[in-house]
Amino acid sequence: MSWSSVFPILRTVTISYSDLKDKNVDLSMKIEQGFGPNGLGILSITDVPGYSSLRENLLRLAPRLARLPEEVKKDLEDHHSRYNFGWSHGKEKLESGTPDMLKGSFYANPIFDVPTTEAYLIERYPSYCGSNIWPDTALPELEVAFKGLGKLILDVGLMVAFHCDRYVSKEMKMHVDEGLEKILLRSRCHKGRLLYYFPAQKSNHMQDGGSMSSWCGWHTDHGSLTGLTCGMFTRDCTVIPCPDSAAGLYIRTRNDQVVKVVFGEDEIAYQIGETTEILSRGFLCATPHCVRAPNGEEASGVERSTFALFMQPDWDEKLNFPKEVHMHKEVIPSNGALTFGEYSEKLLDKYYHLKA
């Protein structure tokens, strides 16, 4: 029996860009279907002007970035930020505890090259307050492509956030300044991540090759809202269709069912992060997800490139957590107040073993 027949394949809830940008259109039902307690924690936006070419321009650069000489990539690393700026490969751990050699990442803030010049902030919150590192000589086109796609996904994400606030405000009392849209508008630390998945069969770490989370382990995004492109598959620099129908994004639903989720390559998908779930008292829900690599003969030598924009509150944004929280209780103080910087650094200590 094939993997694709074991798990249901579900299409994301879609919203057209023309409806999204019209503040007079009530999209509460769509927001609830995608992000509500019974949703998959994901929806996608169709027909975004200019998106397709910006996506292709950036994703085609990922294999080129990964093939740069090791000494060039070494210069793009930033240990101080826990590799949250510039190039990162093998710095994270897989579910098995071994270093993740399956994918390389390039992180940058698409809006601010230097979010702050205050030394104590850079020291305290290096993963948010650090500066971008661009391969100006080795791959100069990366900066323009990265910022172009990142800014578009943020702009569309802010529109999504507006409609999320409208839906949540029907369900609970919400202060005008505490809505998702205002929180994201104030933030200086949105983070883009260009991901490159090495050809699976060429990796030394394929003991997990048959597992569902073979390319990216089960996790739930901890920020507010994540914008996501559909992955681009290439072999020998040529774009190809995905060679394995079972490969792709899997989500664990609220009732613990695992489903495969698909959306079009010309659509931007958005997923809810844990911070939004907590602040919205669970009216908007984050879901665990993973990425399965292609398997079989046809998958030999296949690379995958994708891009995610993690939209998150400013490091100084004071988060007023509800009295009852059902996740990360150990990092949230009894008075329920923590800045996003304090909160996320506590969480990062769980996932990285780089404590000072």
Side-chain angles (χ1 to χ4, degrees):
M1 187 181 286
S2 74
W3 273 80
S4 51
S5 63
V6 174
F7 299 100
I9 299 175
L10 299 181
R11 184 77 170 78
T12 53
V13 171
T14 60
I15 297 172
S16 72
Y17 178 76
S18 57
D19 280 349
L20 186 74
K21 69 176 183 178
D22 187 346
K23 293 190 173 183
N24 295 316
V25 176
D26 187 353
L27 297 172
S28 297
M29 189 180 292
K30 290 257 190 179
I31 296 293
E32 182 174 10
Q33 286 171 352
F35 292 158
N38 297 313
L40 293 172
I42 187 170
L43 54 73
S44 60
I45 310 303
T46 65
D47 308 312
V48 178
Y51 169 68
S52 296
S53 60
L54 287 172
R55 169 186 171 268
E56 187 168 333
N57 289 348
L58 180 60
L59 297 192
R60 281 183 176 275
L61 294 177
R64 289 176 57 191
L65 176 67
R67 290 190 191 105
L68 289 177
E70 289 304 317
E71 63 271 18
V72 173
K73 289 186 289 191
K74 196 86 183 153
D75 286 342
L76 297 172
E77 290 182 350
D78 181 20
H79 171 78
H80 181 62
S81 70
R82 287 174 161 162
Y83 303 94
N84 268 266
F85 284 94
W87 176 251
S88 172
H89 182 216
K91 309 304 179 187
E92 295 176 59
K93 299 239 183 332
L94 291 168
E95 290 159 337
S96 58
T98 55
D100 182 0
M101 304 303 291
L102 303 174
K103 60 182 179 287
S105 300
F106 185 86
Y107 295 94
N109 183 327
I111 312 301
F112 299 101
D113 275 321
V114 183
T116 180
T117 55
E118 295 190 47
Y120 82 95
L121 283 174
I122 296 167
E123 186 63 37
R124 182 166 185 189
Y125 303 128
S127 60
Y128 297 135
C129 298
S131 298
N132 287 337
I133 307 168
W134 298 108
D136 295 325
T137 307
L139 197 62
E141 55 268 61
L142 179 65
E143 180 178 351
V144 174
F146 195 107
K147 288 178 175 177
L149 183 60
K151 186 169 188 327
L152 179 66
I153 292 177
L154 175 61
D155 289 345
V156 177
L158 290 169
M159 297 179 196
V160 173
F162 169 84
H163 290 283
C164 286
D165 289 338
R166 178 179 282 176
Y167 160 67
V168 172
S169 65
K170 291 178 178 181
E171 307 293 338
M172 61 176 253
K173 192 175 179 185
M174 201 172 73
H175 192 277
V176 66
D177 263 0
E178 290 185 351
L180 181 59
E181 182 191 24
K182 289 287 200 302
I183 286 175
L184 297 183
L185 269 171
R186 285 194 291 267
S187 180
R188 293 163 288 176
C189 61
H190 304 304
K191 184 67 65 74
R193 181 185 190 185
L194 179 62
L195 282 134
Y196 171 78
Y197 296 83
F198 290 89
Q201 281 70 16
K202 293 182 182 175
S203 167
N204 297 324
H205 290 263
M206 276 317 288
Q207 61 264 38
D208 293 330
S211 81
M212 173 175 292
S213 55
S214 49
W215 245 349
C216 181
W218 283 102
H219 67 286
T220 307
D221 297 340
H222 91 269
S224 300
L225 188 68
T226 303
L228 199 61
T229 70
C230 192
M232 176 185 284
F233 292 87
T234 50
R235 185 192 281 121
D236 302 325
C237 302
T238 304
V239 177
I240 61 168
C242 178
D244 177 3
S245 62
L249 178 67
Y250 286 80
I251 286 177
R252 192 181 301 280
T253 67
R254 307 298 285 182
N255 57 7
D256 225 29
Q257 183 187 22
V258 173
V259 299
K260 182 172 184 246
V261 177
V262 295
F263 59 96
E265 65 177 41
D266 294 330
E267 299 170 15
I268 309 175
Y270 289 90
Q271 288 183 286
I272 291 292
E274 289 175 340
T275 304
T276 293
E277 173 164 346
I278 294 169
L279 295 180
S280 72
R281 316 299 195 258
F283 287 110
L284 300 167
C285 291
T287 48
H289 48 278
C290 72
V291 180
R292 178 173 162 78
N295 246 343
E297 290 284 307
E298 292 294 307
S300 180
V302 172
E303 314 157 293
R304 178 177 180 262
S305 305
T306 192
F307 178 79
L309 179 69
F310 301 101
M311 290 163 269
Q312 49 209 3
D314 196 79
W315 58 82
D316 276 347
E317 184 78 42
K318 187 180 173 187
L319 304 179
N320 295 311
F321 292 106
K323 286 187 172 62
E324 293 295 317
V325 294
H326 63 283
M327 60 176 84
H328 306 311
K329 291 177 183 173
E330 71 279 10
V331 304
I332 298 171
S334 54
N335 66 357
L338 211 56
T339 67
F340 182 70
E342 293 164 345
Y343 169 66
S344 54
E345 289 292 354
K346 285 171 184 274
L347 290 182
L348 275 170
D349 280 339
K350 282 177 155 187
Y351 301 116
Y352 288 79
H353 299 280
L354 297 170
K355 296 179 187 176

